[in-house]
Amino acid sequence: MTASTTVLADKPAGTAAPITVAVALAERTYDILIGRGAIASLGARIKTLRPGAKTIVITDENVARHHLATVDAILADSGIVNTSFAVAPGEGSKNYATYEAVCEAIIAARIERGDLVIALGGGVIGDLAGFASASVRRGLDFVQVPTSLLAQVDSSVGGKTGINSRQGKNLVGAFHQPILVIADTAMLDTLSPREFRAGYAEVAKYGLLGDAPFFAWLENNWQDVFAGGAASLAREQAIAVCCRNKAGVVSRDERETGERALLNLGHTFGHAFEAGAGYSQRLLHGEAVSLGCTLAFEFSARKGLVGDNTAGRVRAHLASVGLPTRVQDVPGGVPDADRLMELIAQDKKVKRGKLTFILARGVGEAFVANDVDPAEVRGFLAEKLAS
Ligand code: GLY
């Protein structure tokens, strides 16, 4: 990742205009709009981007209860003909049956080339509706309206879409970029504190992987990010920095042939614990990322890449916001070291006896290590489980 893209003071508190971040991909370049109330511009933006387009909103039943009437009204005010389709909430909807139902709903609503799909929801909805958009009529344009912190800073940006296979997460999908992302930070007000906190792990991840000044800023300002509200723009600024960082990575490496892999910091360890907990409420994805980021820095310290004080700093910050940072923090226990290694090997192919991990030489200095010895990882995990 290149030098910091941190800009944390470009809008005074009280400014109503959203922050705009562009994802530069030549003729597929698109804007991310970030701000309280940004959703109000959805209809006008669609009319500018795709005049005359019909739309279908794909959402889940929980998000529909909170936000669908608002979105419907905004589209109606702009004279846009819209239908909607809501699926059951949760990761379970990223399956073949729900994907089929979403594709059929889009076809039944007579959404054609030139029309638009709108993904209104968290990461599950963005991935599912995005993949249906990539497939129906060999590719429809779509707009992301992310309603979780995790989706606003990560999954709605960059074009990764897909569903889960019986053999693993996100194994069936496509790269399909949205034409617009609207991250309305007021929509985060309806998240539970636990969901917001879990999303914050992905916010901290951007500092840890490539933006040390941003991590230092988060250490001093995280309470304002959590508080949100109109009085401070800390939340909007934090989301904008994450989106700027992600936009930079995606525009340089859309298909993850190199640098984009850094966005997986904390995910290899994290996925093993998430799978060990059965992808249940016991350990949310962002909580697993928090544990995984801490372990990635502690493993880096064990290999002499960073000092113990750096790993301690990472743990201290994530723990201070209430995120899990020790294997003992996972309620209900975790698998033993052998089982964790099986789960890691399922997630990441072992190539010539070596594993690939995202490790770090410092805060903001992550790198891809292709030559990690599985025995060293097993020994490290066994120590963590025993401590
Ligand atoms: N969430 C990781 C990526 O978009 O590449």
Side-chain angles (χ1 to χ4, degrees), residues 154-155 157-158 160 202 205 246 250 256 260 263-264 267:
D154 193 47
S155 60
V157 176
K160 281 189 181 175
E202 298 274 5
K205 179 192 80 174
K246 181 149 189 185
V250 168
E256 197 171 313
R260 188 164 178 168
L263 298 173
N264 298 330
H267 283 63

Side-chain angles (χ1 to χ4, degrees), residues 61-269:
E61 288 150 7
N62 283 345
V63 174
R65 226 176 14 258
H66 291 299
H67 303 300
L68 186 56
T70 306
V71 170
D72 278 345
I74 288 166
L75 294 170
D77 280 354
S78 292
I80 294 169
V81 176
N82 179 57
T83 50
S84 59
F85 184 72
V87 305
E91 186 73 24
S93 282
K94 272 176 67 173
N95 62 11
Y96 290 106
T98 312
Y99 164 70
E100 180 185 356
V102 170
C103 290
E104 292 297 333
I106 294 170
I107 296 164
R110 306 202 187 293
I111 299 294
E112 299 180 1
R113 296 269 184 91
D115 295 328
L116 279 176
V117 176
I118 300 172
L120 173 69
V124 167
I125 290 299
D127 286 5
L128 178 67
F131 185 40
S133 305
S135 326
V136 173
R137 300 187 193 279
R138 299 193 179 89
L140 296 168
D141 288 336
F142 84 117
V143 173
Q144 288 269 20
V145 182
T147 58
S148 69
L149 180 58
L150 189 144
Q152 292 195 353
V153 299
D154 193 47
S155 60
S156 69
V157 176
K160 281 189 181 175
T161 72
I163 58 172
N164 301 329
S165 134
R166 277 178 290 281
Q167 299 178 65
K169 277 187 79 163
N170 298 327
L171 290 181
V172 180
F175 284 97
H176 186 54
Q177 299 290 343
I179 64 161
L180 173 70
V181 180
I182 297 192
D184 186 332
T185 52
M187 286 182 163
L188 305 181
D189 294 347
T190 55
L191 295 180
S192 70
R194 183 181 178 197
E195 275 176 301
F196 188 89
R197 199 162 47 240
Y200 181 84
E202 298 274 5
V203 174
K205 179 192 80 174
Y206 286 97
L208 293 174
L209 74 90
D211 195 340
F214 181 48
F215 188 73
W217 183 86
L218 288 172
E219 288 176 307
N220 291 320
N221 294 281
W222 67 268
Q223 283 101 335
D224 290 340
V225 176
F226 275 66
S232 146
L233 284 179
R235 180 181 288 182
E236 288 71 23
Q237 290 168 331
I239 293 169
V241 171
C242 296
C243 289
R244 280 188 190 124
N245 277 314
K246 181 149 189 185
V249 172
V250 168
S251 59
R252 291 187 293 272
D253 181 24
E254 184 183 6
R255 297 286 171 133
E256 197 171 313
T257 55
E259 181 188 0
R260 188 164 178 168
L262 297 179
L263 298 173
N264 298 330
L265 175 65
H267 283 63
T268 299
F269 283 124

